[in-house]
Amino acid sequence: MFGYYIDLALRSLKRNKVLTALMVLAIAVGIGASMTTLTVMQLLSGDPLPDKSTRLYYPQLDPETGADVRRDPAPMLDYISAHDLWRSGKADRQTMIMDGAIKVQPGQPGQSPFMAPTVGVTSDFFPMFQVPFRYGGAWTPSDEAGAARQVVISDVLNQRLFGGANSVGRQVVLNGASVQVVGVLDHWRPRPRFYLLAGARNSGGQTAYFYGPPQDVYLPLPTALDINAGNFGWFTCWGKPDPSDLQRAPCESVALWVELDTPAKAAAYRRYLDAYDAQQRELGRLTHPANTRLMSLREWLAYQNVVPGDVKLQTWLAFAFLLVCLFNTVGLLLAKFLRRGGEIGVRRALGASRGAIFLQCLTESGVIGLLGGIGGLALTLLGLWLVHRQPVEYADIVALNVPMFLLTFVLAVAAALLAGVFPALRASRVPPALQLKTL
């Protein structure tokens, strides 16, 4: 019976090609607009570490002195607080992170020096965040403690400096200091770049750097402070810092992440963070009232509003436009079905039930939705291509994945079926006697 309904639907659609084209186009345009923005939204709001996000936490307290009490703790820690919390070993793993840039001197003659984005981190950074390696690995904690001249570089920088070859053991000149490559990352592009969200906004408050590529240079933090102290950024200072001594500078300059495997450990760490804050206030180093917080990775992403506001607005507008397209489709289907009153009257007179008429009309709506889905897929791919050409940092990571590909057709058919319910009900209730009189 379903095959019969499909045959009737195709014949009906062929009889009035212009009206069919209008309905398919309405569905396709609405689906294309909504799926383009929904794909961007889904990629930007995804969990960067779904296997570990519930075990990673971001501790905060308020180290600033001589300022008004803030509602929220500082987005980053001062070095003393971060180092104390890191050295305590209260977490299963912990890493400090400082962001900056460093001068790279290529080894090939004729190549000019250039600045590369860099971070100073502690060794747990790599296993905590599941950072993949192509060659080698991270430095050891003992090498880190001794400020060893070692470095991990990205696959992009390795390609630029060494042509993509295994560069482990080779030397790189960073800010005038020769350091040994101990590891080369495989392709790694967390979305967003969650480990350094605080400060990753431009002067207008926009999320300018959340979705950019990760840094090219990863140095042990003591080494980074030894050879690159003056080039670290993204910190807020409330005194007069010495750029060469960030360890004692009155600045918010360090991101600290801890890994806590169980809720009990997370609760214990919260108590420890409160106790540390109280101790430092008793010593007079911190002067604000208690203002601490421990957020999970997911909570931290939500707090930072990592999805740009214009993307959210575009998504709502696109789905509003889809509703407009659906209302237009309802009107077109209603006109189409009611114009076939004579045909429907004959079928009813020959014994077709209202339910059969309803299913036939709904099947026709579903076929329109399927055709609209094909058109919507083409428009979605066009929309994503246009996004790729926009001057935004996430442009190069936007792509249509398999789930969104399938959702395109599901949404198109569902939208068409929803639009066809009311016209199908009206058509199934056409009195056959009145229609037969007009034949």
Side-chain angles (χ1 to χ4, degrees), residues 280-322:
Q280 295 301 303
R281 284 186 285 108
E282 288 179 4
L283 295 174
R285 191 177 73 83
L286 302 181
T287 59
H288 287 312
N291 194 11
T292 64
R293 186 166 58 192
L294 184 68
M295 285 187 172
S296 69
L297 172 56
R298 291 177 181 174
E299 292 170 335
W300 182 238
L301 294 177
Y303 173 75
Q304 287 289 335
N305 293 316
V306 296
V307 180
D310 57 343
V311 173
K312 295 179 181 179
L313 178 60
Q314 289 167 10
T315 302
W316 284 110
L317 291 176
F319 275 91
F321 180 66
L322 176 60

mmCIF file of all heavy atoms in Angstrom, residues 280-322:
data_model
loop_
_atom_site.group_PDB
_atom_site.id
_atom_site.type_symbol
_atom_site.label_atom_id
_atom_site.label_comp_id
_atom_site.label_asym_id
_atom_site.label_seq_id
_atom_site.Cartn_x
_atom_site.Cartn_y
_atom_site.Cartn_z
ATOM 1 N N GLN A 280 46.169 32.126 53.367
ATOM 2 C CA GLN A 280 46.871 33.252 52.753
ATOM 3 C C GLN A 280 46.305 34.592 53.217
ATOM 4 O O GLN A 280 47.039 35.581 53.312
ATOM 5 C CB GLN A 280 46.787 33.133 51.228
ATOM 6 C CG GLN A 280 47.509 31.921 50.661
ATOM 7 C CD GLN A 280 48.989 31.911 51.006
ATOM 8 O OE1 GLN A 280 49.719 32.847 50.694
ATOM 9 N NE2 GLN A 280 49.430 30.851 51.687
ATOM 10 N N ARG A 281 45.017 34.640 53.528
ATOM 11 C CA ARG A 281 44.443 35.876 54.070
ATOM 12 C C ARG A 281 44.919 36.107 55.499
ATOM 13 O O ARG A 281 45.145 37.249 55.921
ATOM 14 C CB ARG A 281 42.920 35.831 53.993
ATOM 15 C CG ARG A 281 42.409 36.064 52.563
ATOM 16 C CD ARG A 281 40.903 36.167 52.458
ATOM 17 N NE ARG A 281 40.260 34.862 52.581
ATOM 18 C CZ ARG A 281 39.558 34.466 53.629
ATOM 19 N NH1 ARG A 281 39.401 35.298 54.658
ATOM 20 N NH2 ARG A 281 39.003 33.276 53.666
ATOM 21 N N GLU A 282 45.081 35.031 56.258
ATOM 22 C CA GLU A 282 45.631 35.175 57.610
ATOM 23 C C GLU A 282 47.070 35.679 57.576
ATOM 24 O O GLU A 282 47.489 36.460 58.428
ATOM 25 C CB GLU A 282 45.573 33.829 58.341
ATOM 26 C CG GLU A 282 44.168 33.405 58.740
ATOM 27 C CD GLU A 282 44.169 32.053 59.434
ATOM 28 O OE1 GLU A 282 45.271 31.506 59.659
ATOM 29 O OE2 GLU A 282 43.079 31.538 59.751
ATOM 30 N N LEU A 283 47.830 35.245 56.569
ATOM 31 C CA LEU A 283 49.213 35.693 56.433
ATOM 32 C C LEU A 283 49.310 37.108 55.885
ATOM 33 O O LEU A 283 50.393 37.709 55.893
ATOM 34 C CB LEU A 283 49.979 34.733 55.521
ATOM 35 C CG LEU A 283 50.167 33.303 56.046
ATOM 36 C CD1 LEU A 283 50.815 32.423 54.973
ATOM 37 C CD2 LEU A 283 51.022 33.305 57.313
ATOM 38 N N GLY A 284 48.198 37.630 55.369
ATOM 39 C CA GLY A 284 48.192 38.990 54.860
ATOM 40 C C GLY A 284 48.556 39.109 53.396
ATOM 41 O O GLY A 284 48.553 40.225 52.850
ATOM 42 N N ARG A 285 48.858 37.993 52.725
ATOM 43 C CA ARG A 285 49.196 38.084 51.302
ATOM 44 C C ARG A 285 47.966 38.354 50.457
ATOM 45 O O ARG A 285 48.021 39.103 49.473
ATOM 46 C CB ARG A 285 49.883 36.791 50.846
ATOM 47 C CG ARG A 285 50.490 36.903 49.458
ATOM 48 C CD ARG A 285 51.214 35.634 49.057
ATOM 49 N NE ARG A 285 50.288 34.554 48.750
ATOM 50 C CZ ARG A 285 49.688 34.387 47.576
ATOM 51 N NH1 ARG A 285 49.896 35.260 46.593
ATOM 52 N NH2 ARG A 285 48.878 33.369 47.361
ATOM 53 N N LEU A 286 46.840 37.741 50.830
ATOM 54 C CA LEU A 286 45.568 38.021 50.177
ATOM 55 C C LEU A 286 44.730 38.880 51.111
ATOM 56 O O LEU A 286 44.685 38.617 52.319
ATOM 57 C CB LEU A 286 44.828 36.721 49.837
ATOM 58 C CG LEU A 286 45.569 35.718 48.939
ATOM 59 C CD1 LEU A 286 44.696 34.501 48.674
ATOM 60 C CD2 LEU A 286 46.005 36.359 47.638
ATOM 61 N N THR A 287 44.075 39.887 50.559
ATOM 62 C CA THR A 287 43.349 40.836 51.409
ATOM 63 C C THR A 287 41.848 40.817 51.196
ATOM 64 O O THR A 287 41.116 41.418 51.972
ATOM 65 C CB THR A 287 43.872 42.263 51.150
ATOM 66 O OG1 THR A 287 43.682 42.594 49.766
ATOM 67 C CG2 THR A 287 45.357 42.358 51.483
ATOM 68 N N HIS A 288 41.365 40.145 50.184
ATOM 69 C CA HIS A 288 39.930 40.105 49.928
ATOM 70 C C HIS A 288 39.242 39.091 50.832
ATOM 71 O O HIS A 288 39.862 38.135 51.309
ATOM 72 C CB HIS A 288 39.651 39.727 48.474
ATOM 73 C CG HIS A 288 39.956 40.833 47.507
ATOM 74 N ND1 HIS A 288 39.516 42.111 47.692
ATOM 75 C CD2 HIS A 288 40.651 40.839 46.348
ATOM 76 C CE1 HIS A 288 39.920 42.871 46.684
ATOM 77 N NE2 HIS A 288 40.625 42.116 45.852
ATOM 78 N N PRO A 289 37.944 39.269 51.039
ATOM 79 C CA PRO A 289 37.173 38.204 51.688
ATOM 80 C C PRO A 289 37.225 36.936 50.837
ATOM 81 O O PRO A 289 37.602 36.964 49.665
ATOM 82 C CB PRO A 289 35.749 38.773 51.761
ATOM 83 C CG PRO A 289 35.924 40.244 51.653
ATOM 84 C CD PRO A 289 37.125 40.468 50.798
ATOM 85 N N ALA A 290 36.860 35.816 51.443
ATOM 86 C CA ALA A 290 36.908 34.532 50.741
ATOM 87 C C ALA A 290 36.147 34.615 49.418
ATOM 88 O O ALA A 290 35.002 35.055 49.378
ATOM 89 C CB ALA A 290 36.316 33.438 51.625
ATOM 90 N N ASN A 291 36.806 34.213 48.359
ATOM 91 C CA ASN A 291 36.205 34.290 47.025
ATOM 92 C C ASN A 291 36.852 33.217 46.153
ATOM 93 O O ASN A 291 37.712 33.499 45.324
ATOM 94 C CB ASN A 291 36.419 35.679 46.430
ATOM 95 C CG ASN A 291 35.538 35.919 45.203
ATOM 96 O OD1 ASN A 291 34.632 35.153 44.918
ATOM 97 N ND2 ASN A 291 35.815 36.999 44.483
ATOM 98 N N THR A 292 36.469 31.973 46.376
ATOM 99 C CA THR A 292 37.065 30.852 45.645
ATOM 100 C C THR A 292 35.993 30.132 44.828
ATOM 101 O O THR A 292 34.797 30.238 45.115
ATOM 102 C CB THR A 292 37.714 29.846 46.605
ATOM 103 O OG1 THR A 292 36.705 29.264 47.439
ATOM 104 C CG2 THR A 292 38.758 30.518 47.473
ATOM 105 N N ARG A 293 36.460 29.374 43.840
ATOM 106 C CA ARG A 293 35.533 28.615 43.010
ATOM 107 C C ARG A 293 36.310 27.497 42.323
ATOM 108 O O ARG A 293 37.476 27.658 41.962
ATOM 109 C CB ARG A 293 34.874 29.523 41.977
ATOM 110 C CG ARG A 293 33.786 28.852 41.146
ATOM 111 C CD ARG A 293 32.953 29.889 40.407
ATOM 112 N NE ARG A 293 33.765 30.720 39.531
ATOM 113 C CZ ARG A 293 33.327 31.831 38.955
ATOM 114 N NH1 ARG A 293 32.097 32.257 39.178
ATOM 115 N NH2 ARG A 293 34.109 32.537 38.165
ATOM 116 N N LEU A 294 35.647 26.357 42.165
ATOM 117 C CA LEU A 294 36.230 25.219 41.454
ATOM 118 C C LEU A 294 35.207 24.743 40.429
ATOM 119 O O LEU A 294 34.201 24.134 40.779
ATOM 120 C CB LEU A 294 36.589 24.092 42.422
ATOM 121 C CG LEU A 294 37.309 22.879 41.811
ATOM 122 C CD1 LEU A 294 38.709 23.265 41.346
ATOM 123 C CD2 LEU A 294 37.375 21.730 42.803
ATOM 124 N N MET A 295 35.473 25.035 39.161
ATOM 125 C CA MET A 295 34.541 24.689 38.092
ATOM 126 C C MET A 295 35.060 23.492 37.310
ATOM 127 O O MET A 295 36.268 23.383 37.047
ATOM 128 C CB MET A 295 34.366 25.857 37.127
ATOM 129 C CG MET A 295 33.511 26.981 37.646
ATOM 130 S SD MET A 295 33.222 28.187 36.319
ATOM 131 C CE MET A 295 32.012 29.247 37.106
ATOM 132 N N SER A 296 34.136 22.636 36.901
ATOM 133 C CA SER A 296 34.505 21.573 35.974
ATOM 134 C C SER A 296 34.726 22.181 34.591
ATOM 135 O O SER A 296 34.369 23.339 34.341
ATOM 136 C CB SER A 296 33.411 20.512 35.909
ATOM 137 O OG SER A 296 32.250 21.032 35.279
ATOM 138 N N LEU A 297 35.308 21.385 33.703
ATOM 139 C CA LEU A 297 35.565 21.884 32.352
ATOM 140 C C LEU A 297 34.275 22.357 31.682
ATOM 141 O O LEU A 297 34.236 23.436 31.079
ATOM 142 C CB LEU A 297 36.228 20.778 31.522
ATOM 143 C CG LEU A 297 36.395 21.061 30.017
ATOM 144 C CD1 LEU A 297 37.156 22.341 29.767
ATOM 145 C CD2 LEU A 297 37.083 19.884 29.330
ATOM 146 N N ARG A 298 33.207 21.572 31.788
ATOM 147 C CA ARG A 298 31.947 21.962 31.155
ATOM 148 C C ARG A 298 31.401 23.248 31.772
ATOM 149 O O ARG A 298 30.898 24.130 31.064
ATOM 150 C CB ARG A 298 30.930 20.841 31.284
ATOM 151 C CG ARG A 298 31.269 19.603 30.450
ATOM 152 C CD ARG A 298 30.262 18.505 30.692
ATOM 153 N NE ARG A 298 30.571 17.304 29.928
ATOM 154 C CZ ARG A 298 29.913 16.168 30.046
ATOM 155 N NH1 ARG A 298 28.892 16.064 30.888
ATOM 156 N NH2 ARG A 298 30.254 15.114 29.309
ATOM 157 N N GLU A 299 31.490 23.373 33.083
ATOM 158 C CA GLU A 299 31.021 24.588 33.751
ATOM 159 C C GLU A 299 31.853 25.801 33.324
ATOM 160 O O GLU A 299 31.326 26.901 33.138
ATOM 161 C CB GLU A 299 31.074 24.410 35.260
ATOM 162 C CG GLU A 299 30.078 23.396 35.799
ATOM 163 C CD GLU A 299 30.313 23.067 37.256
ATOM 164 O OE1 GLU A 299 31.466 23.215 37.739
ATOM 165 O OE2 GLU A 299 29.364 22.632 37.930
ATOM 166 N N TRP A 300 33.154 25.584 33.162
ATOM 167 C CA TRP A 300 34.045 26.674 32.773
ATOM 168 C C TRP A 300 33.733 27.139 31.351
ATOM 169 O O TRP A 300 33.723 28.335 31.059
ATOM 170 C CB TRP A 300 35.478 26.213 32.894
ATOM 171 C CG TRP A 300 36.535 27.232 32.578
ATOM 172 C CD1 TRP A 300 37.501 27.140 31.640
ATOM 173 C CD2 TRP A 300 36.749 28.506 33.226
ATOM 174 N NE1 TRP A 300 38.301 28.258 31.634
ATOM 175 C CE2 TRP A 300 37.867 29.105 32.610
ATOM 176 C CE3 TRP A 300 36.098 29.179 34.255
ATOM 177 C CZ2 TRP A 300 38.341 30.359 32.987
ATOM 178 C CZ3 TRP A 300 36.581 30.431 34.627
ATOM 179 C CH2 TRP A 300 37.672 31.001 34.009
ATOM 180 N N LEU A 301 33.447 26.193 30.455
ATOM 181 C CA LEU A 301 33.078 26.558 29.091
ATOM 182 C C LEU A 301 31.779 27.362 29.071
ATOM 183 O O LEU A 301 31.661 28.358 28.348
ATOM 184 C CB LEU A 301 32.929 25.302 28.231
ATOM 185 C CG LEU A 301 34.188 24.484 27.954
ATOM 186 C CD1 LEU A 301 33.837 23.233 27.152
ATOM 187 C CD2 LEU A 301 35.239 25.299 27.221
ATOM 188 N N ALA A 302 30.803 26.914 29.870
ATOM 189 C CA ALA A 302 29.527 27.626 29.927
ATOM 190 C C ALA A 302 29.723 29.027 30.512
ATOM 191 O O ALA A 302 29.136 30.007 30.026
ATOM 192 C CB ALA A 302 28.517 26.834 30.751
ATOM 193 N N TYR A 303 30.543 29.137 31.548
ATOM 194 C CA TYR A 303 30.783 30.432 32.183
ATOM 195 C C TYR A 303 31.465 31.402 31.218
ATOM 196 O O TYR A 303 31.170 32.602 31.209
ATOM 197 C CB TYR A 303 31.647 30.236 33.429
ATOM 198 C CG TYR A 303 32.102 31.519 34.078
ATOM 199 C CD1 TYR A 303 31.221 32.289 34.826
ATOM 200 C CD2 TYR A 303 33.417 31.954 33.934
ATOM 201 C CE1 TYR A 303 31.642 33.471 35.416
ATOM 202 C CE2 TYR A 303 33.848 33.136 34.520
ATOM 203 C CZ TYR A 303 32.950 33.886 35.255
ATOM 204 O OH TYR A 303 33.371 35.065 35.837
ATOM 205 N N GLN A 304 32.364 30.887 30.394
ATOM 206 C CA GLN A 304 33.100 31.744 29.469
ATOM 207 C C GLN A 304 32.310 32.090 28.203
ATOM 208 O O GLN A 304 32.776 32.890 27.392
ATOM 209 C CB GLN A 304 34.414 31.054 29.071
ATOM 210 C CG GLN A 304 35.461 31.033 30.169
ATOM 211 C CD GLN A 304 36.060 32.398 30.431
ATOM 212 O OE1 GLN A 304 36.072 33.266 29.567
ATOM 213 N NE2 GLN A 304 36.549 32.611 31.634
ATOM 214 N N ASN A 305 31.113 31.484 28.035
ATOM 215 C CA ASN A 305 30.287 31.766 26.848
ATOM 216 C C ASN A 305 31.114 31.600 25.567
ATOM 217 O O ASN A 305 31.271 32.540 24.775
ATOM 218 C CB ASN A 305 29.718 33.184 26.909
ATOM 219 C CG ASN A 305 28.723 33.353 28.031
ATOM 220 O OD1 ASN A 305 27.870 32.495 28.250
ATOM 221 N ND2 ASN A 305 28.829 34.442 28.767
ATOM 222 N N VAL A 306 31.616 30.379 25.388
ATOM 223 C CA VAL A 306 32.560 30.161 24.301
ATOM 224 C C VAL A 306 31.909 30.250 22.924
ATOM 225 O O VAL A 306 32.596 30.457 21.929
ATOM 226 C CB VAL A 306 33.270 28.802 24.444
ATOM 227 C CG1 VAL A 306 34.124 28.769 25.694
ATOM 228 C CG2 VAL A 306 32.267 27.658 24.467
ATOM 229 N N VAL A 307 30.590 30.053 22.835
ATOM 230 C CA VAL A 307 29.922 30.173 21.544
ATOM 231 C C VAL A 307 29.667 31.650 21.271
ATOM 232 O O VAL A 307 29.002 32.319 22.057
ATOM 233 C CB VAL A 307 28.600 29.389 21.515
ATOM 234 C CG1 VAL A 307 27.936 29.528 20.149
ATOM 235 C CG2 VAL A 307 28.850 27.918 21.829
ATOM 236 N N PRO A 308 30.200 32.199 20.172
ATOM 237 C CA PRO A 308 29.996 33.626 19.891
ATOM 238 C C PRO A 308 28.512 33.992 19.832
ATOM 239 O O PRO A 308 27.677 33.229 19.332
ATOM 240 C CB PRO A 308 30.656 33.799 18.509
ATOM 241 C CG PRO A 308 31.664 32.696 18.436
ATOM 242 C CD PRO A 308 31.048 31.542 19.179
ATOM 243 N N GLY A 309 28.194 35.170 20.339
ATOM 244 C CA GLY A 309 26.801 35.603 20.398
ATOM 245 C C GLY A 309 26.147 35.716 19.037
ATOM 246 O O GLY A 309 24.955 35.435 18.889
ATOM 247 N N ASP A 310 26.933 36.098 18.005
ATOM 248 C CA ASP A 310 26.326 36.230 16.681
ATOM 249 C C ASP A 310 25.925 34.875 16.116
ATOM 250 O O ASP A 310 24.945 34.767 15.367
ATOM 251 C CB ASP A 310 27.270 36.956 15.732
ATOM 252 C CG ASP A 310 28.622 36.273 15.599
ATOM 253 O OD1 ASP A 310 28.942 35.441 16.468
ATOM 254 O OD2 ASP A 310 29.352 36.571 14.629
ATOM 255 N N VAL A 311 26.657 33.805 16.492
ATOM 256 C CA VAL A 311 26.291 32.468 16.029
ATOM 257 C C VAL A 311 24.973 32.033 16.669
ATOM 258 O O VAL A 311 24.098 31.451 16.003
ATOM 259 C CB VAL A 311 27.413 31.463 16.347
ATOM 260 C CG1 VAL A 311 26.971 30.034 16.029
ATOM 261 C CG2 VAL A 311 28.670 31.803 15.566
ATOM 262 N N LYS A 312 24.807 32.304 17.950
ATOM 263 C CA LYS A 312 23.550 31.972 18.626
ATOM 264 C C LYS A 312 22.378 32.710 17.986
ATOM 265 O O LYS A 312 21.319 32.132 17.732
ATOM 266 C CB LYS A 312 23.647 32.324 20.109
ATOM 267 C CG LYS A 312 24.659 31.505 20.898
ATOM 268 C CD LYS A 312 24.689 31.940 22.357
ATOM 269 C CE LYS A 312 25.705 31.161 23.149
ATOM 270 N NZ LYS A 312 25.765 31.590 24.575
ATOM 271 N N LEU A 313 22.580 34.007 17.738
ATOM 272 C CA LEU A 313 21.514 34.808 17.131
ATOM 273 C C LEU A 313 21.176 34.287 15.738
ATOM 274 O O LEU A 313 19.993 34.170 15.379
ATOM 275 C CB LEU A 313 21.945 36.273 17.066
ATOM 276 C CG LEU A 313 20.952 37.248 16.410
ATOM 277 C CD1 LEU A 313 19.632 37.256 17.167
ATOM 278 C CD2 LEU A 313 21.547 38.653 16.337
ATOM 279 N N GLN A 314 22.187 33.974 14.945
ATOM 280 C CA GLN A 314 21.949 33.470 13.597
ATOM 281 C C GLN A 314 21.185 32.147 13.626
ATOM 282 O O GLN A 314 20.347 31.890 12.764
ATOM 283 C CB GLN A 314 23.281 33.293 12.865
ATOM 284 C CG GLN A 314 23.963 34.602 12.500
ATOM 285 C CD GLN A 314 25.403 34.411 12.079
ATOM 286 O OE1 GLN A 314 25.853 33.278 11.875
ATOM 287 N NE2 GLN A 314 26.137 35.496 11.961
ATOM 288 N N THR A 315 21.474 31.314 14.625
ATOM 289 C CA THR A 315 20.774 30.031 14.731
ATOM 290 C C THR A 315 19.293 30.244 15.006
ATOM 291 O O THR A 315 18.427 29.616 14.373
ATOM 292 C CB THR A 315 21.405 29.174 15.841
ATOM 293 O OG1 THR A 315 22.798 28.983 15.557
ATOM 294 C CG2 THR A 315 20.731 27.808 15.931
ATOM 295 N N TRP A 316 18.979 31.138 15.947
ATOM 296 C CA TRP A 316 17.572 31.427 16.248
ATOM 297 C C TRP A 316 16.872 32.025 15.028
ATOM 298 O O TRP A 316 15.725 31.661 14.709
ATOM 299 C CB TRP A 316 17.470 32.376 17.436
ATOM 300 C CG TRP A 316 17.720 31.724 18.758
ATOM 301 C CD1 TRP A 316 18.792 31.890 19.579
ATOM 302 C CD2 TRP A 316 16.863 30.778 19.417
ATOM 303 N NE1 TRP A 316 18.664 31.117 20.701
ATOM 304 C CE2 TRP A 316 17.491 30.423 20.628
ATOM 305 C CE3 TRP A 316 15.633 30.197 19.091
ATOM 306 C CZ2 TRP A 316 16.928 29.514 21.527
ATOM 307 C CZ3 TRP A 316 15.074 29.288 19.979
ATOM 308 C CH2 TRP A 316 15.720 28.958 21.174
ATOM 309 N N LEU A 317 17.530 32.950 14.340
ATOM 310 C CA LEU A 317 16.922 33.569 13.169
ATOM 311 C C LEU A 317 16.702 32.552 12.054
ATOM 312 O O LEU A 317 15.680 32.598 11.353
ATOM 313 C CB LEU A 317 17.806 34.718 12.670
ATOM 314 C CG LEU A 317 17.897 35.954 13.567
ATOM 315 C CD1 LEU A 317 18.868 36.967 12.993
ATOM 316 C CD2 LEU A 317 16.516 36.584 13.752
ATOM 317 N N ALA A 318 17.648 31.622 11.899
ATOM 318 C CA ALA A 318 17.506 30.618 10.846
ATOM 319 C C ALA A 318 16.321 29.700 11.107
ATOM 320 O O ALA A 318 15.570 29.349 10.182
ATOM 321 C CB ALA A 318 18.796 29.803 10.728
ATOM 322 N N PHE A 319 16.130 29.307 12.360
ATOM 323 C CA PHE A 319 14.996 28.434 12.665
ATOM 324 C C PHE A 319 13.676 29.205 12.595
ATOM 325 O O PHE A 319 12.635 28.633 12.249
ATOM 326 C CB PHE A 319 15.184 27.769 14.026
ATOM 327 C CG PHE A 319 16.004 26.515 13.957
ATOM 328 C CD1 PHE A 319 17.378 26.557 14.121
ATOM 329 C CD2 PHE A 319 15.418 25.290 13.682
ATOM 330 C CE1 PHE A 319 18.143 25.406 14.032
ATOM 331 C CE2 PHE A 319 16.165 24.130 13.598
ATOM 332 C CZ PHE A 319 17.531 24.189 13.763
ATOM 333 N N ALA A 320 13.716 30.492 12.902
ATOM 334 C CA ALA A 320 12.519 31.315 12.697
ATOM 335 C C ALA A 320 12.190 31.389 11.215
ATOM 336 O O ALA A 320 11.018 31.326 10.813
ATOM 337 C CB ALA A 320 12.740 32.711 13.274
ATOM 338 N N PHE A 321 13.223 31.498 10.387
ATOM 339 C CA PHE A 321 13.009 31.511 8.937
ATOM 340 C C PHE A 321 12.453 30.175 8.453
ATOM 341 O O PHE A 321 11.601 30.127 7.562
ATOM 342 C CB PHE A 321 14.327 31.825 8.240
ATOM 343 C CG PHE A 321 14.240 31.873 6.748
ATOM 344 C CD1 PHE A 321 13.491 32.852 6.109
ATOM 345 C CD2 PHE A 321 14.901 30.937 5.969
ATOM 346 C CE1 PHE A 321 13.411 32.901 4.729
ATOM 347 C CE2 PHE A 321 14.815 30.973 4.590
ATOM 348 C CZ PHE A 321 14.066 31.964 3.968
ATOM 349 N N LEU A 322 12.917 29.072 9.059
ATOM 350 C CA LEU A 322 12.385 27.747 8.710
ATOM 351 C C LEU A 322 10.896 27.669 9.014
ATOM 352 O O LEU A 322 10.117 27.103 8.234
ATOM 353 C CB LEU A 322 13.147 26.658 9.460
ATOM 354 C CG LEU A 322 12.642 25.221 9.282
ATOM 355 C CD1 LEU A 322 12.690 24.807 7.819
ATOM 356 C CD2 LEU A 322 13.450 24.254 10.140
#
